[in-house]
Amino acid sequence: MLEVDHLSKRFLEKQAVDELSFSIQPGESLGLIGQNGAGKTTTFRMLLGLMERTDGTIEWQGRKAHHLPLDRVGYLPEERGLFAEEQVEQQLLFLAGLKNMNKKEAKASMAYWLDVFELEKEKKQKLNTLSKGNQQKIQLIAALVHRPDFLILDEPFSGLDPVNTDILKEAIQNLRREGVTIIFSSHRMEHVEEICDKLVMLKNGKNILSGRLGEIKTRMDRNRIVAEAS
Ligand code: ATP
C-alpha cells in the first residue's frame, strides 16, 4: 500500500531524516518509535506533503507519489489541529466538509464517533471547556470523521492519563480490526507492542531497528541469551 524508500530531510546542517525505508500493507499497523528529535514528525510531514523531502521516494499503491492522497488519510498532528475557542460540532463538520463529505454523511459520521467516545453531550461546547482526555478524543475524531482508511497519529497518547490512554488504545485497536491501516509515533515501546504489527525505531533520523514485532522480540531474546551466556 505504502512504500517509502530512502526518504531524507535535511535542514541546513541537521539531517532530520536519514535514508528511511519501510513499507506497510493494507490493514497493518506500524509504530514509529524514537526519542525527541528522532525525526518522527518530519517523516509524517513528508508523507503528507506538508514538507518537501530532500531525497527519497514515496510509492502509494504501486505508483510513485508526491505524498499520500489526503482524502484517504486521517492525520492527528503532534500540535493537534482544532481550535480551542471553537465549538466541537462546528469544527468536526467543517473538517468533514473539507474532505468532501456531504452534510448528511458528515453528521452521521460525527454522531457515530461521538457515541463511541461517549461525548454526544459535549458537542455544543467549545473545545477548551472539555477535560484534557476528552479534548484528545475529539482531536482523534477530527482525524477520523471523514472515514479514512489510512491513519497517521503523531504521539496519540502524549499527555494522557492511564484511563484515557486505555480508551484511546482500544479505539485504535478497533480501527485496526476494521481494516484501517495505521502508522503512529511514540516514545514508548509498550504502546507499540500492544498495537502494532511492525516497528521502525528511529535515532537521529536513522532507522536503527525495524521489522515485525514478533521477529524483533525473538531476535532481542536470542541476543540477550547469547550475551548472558558469554
Ligand atoms: P518530537 O517527539 O520531539 O516531536 P520527532 O521525532 O518528531 O521529535 P522531529 O520533530 O521530526 O522529531 O525533528 C527531527 C529533527 O529535525 C530535530 O532535531 C528538530 O530540531 C529538527 N527540525 C524539525 N523541524 C525543523 C525545522 N522546520 N527547521 C529546522 N530543524 C527542524
Side-chain angles (χ1 to χ4, degrees):
M1 184 174 208
L2 171 68
E3 189 139 358
V4 170
D5 192 30
H6 288 81
L7 194 66
S8 299
K9 179 69 186 180
R10 194 171 181 83
F11 299 106
L12 299 172
E13 296 302 301
K14 175 82 198 168
Q15 190 70 44
V17 177
D18 197 359
E19 304 203 336
L20 174 63
S21 301
F22 63 84
S23 66
I24 182 164
Q25 299 305 319
E28 280 187 336
S29 60
L30 180 143
L32 204 54
I33 194 161
Q35 296 302 318
N36 283 339
K40 305 180 295 293
T41 300
T42 305
T43 300
F44 291 157
R45 288 182 177 153
M46 288 190 282
L47 291 180
L48 292 157
L50 300 172
M51 193 174 257
E52 287 296 319
R53 52 187 180 263
T54 314
D55 212 346
T57 57
I58 295 172
E59 262 188 36
W60 172 261
Q61 296 184 334
R63 291 186 172 191
K64 290 237 170 11
H66 182 247
H67 57 70
L68 301 182
L70 300 183
D71 55 336
R72 303 267 307 274
V73 177
Y75 177 42
L76 176 72
E78 190 182 28
E79 66 280 11
R80 310 306 182 221
L82 297 178
F83 294 105
E85 295 279 349
E86 300 289 336
Q87 198 197 49
V88 167
E89 179 180 43
Q90 275 174 357
Q91 298 200 66
L92 294 176
L93 293 178
F94 175 72
L95 282 171
L98 280 185
K99 301 276 180 139
N100 298 326
M101 252 190 169
N102 68 42
K103 250 193 178 144
K104 201 172 157 202
E105 284 173 334
K107 278 196 163 168
S109 174
M110 180 184 72
Y112 171 82
W113 285 114
L114 290 173
D115 183 47
V116 167
F117 289 111
E118 298 182 5
L119 286 171
E120 307 91 332
K121 288 199 298 292
E122 284 79 359
K123 71 179 181 189
K124 299 284 180 199
Q125 294 184 31
K126 288 182 180 175
L127 187 68
N128 61 4
T129 63
L130 307 186
S131 69
K132 190 144 194 235
N134 284 345
Q135 287 192 34
Q136 190 94 321
K137 291 175 205 158
I138 298 289
Q139 298 280 2
L140 183 64
I141 295 176
L144 295 172
V145 72
H146 61 293
R147 300 209 173 273
D149 51 17
F150 196 105
L151 267 185
I152 294 185
L153 308 175
D154 202 347
E155 309 255 0
F157 308 111
S158 85
L160 275 188
D161 59 68
V163 173
N164 280 306
T165 298
D166 282 347
I167 293 172
L168 222 58
K169 251 186 217 167
E170 200 185 317
I172 293 172
Q173 273 162 337
N174 285 337
L175 286 163
R176 221 184 118 186
R177 280 184 214 112
E178 286 167 21
V180 176
T181 312
I182 301 171
I183 305 187
F184 81 91
S185 67
S186 180
H187 290 202
R188 310 225 339 233
M189 188 68 180
E190 74 254 31
H191 294 150
V192 174
E193 275 180 319
E194 285 170 44
I195 300 180
C196 293
D197 307 299
K198 284 175 158 179
L199 167 102
V200 173
M201 194 181 279
L202 282 182
K203 188 173 180 187
N204 296 326
K206 273 195 194 323
N207 176 350
I208 54 165
L209 180 70
S210 62
R212 298 207 159 264
L213 263 157
E215 290 164 13
I216 289 174
K217 273 192 191 157
T218 313
R219 225 186 303 157
M220 283 172 132
D221 286 346
R222 204 182 307 127
N223 289 347
R224 191 170 40 80
I225 291 164
V226 170
E228 280 169 5
S230 60

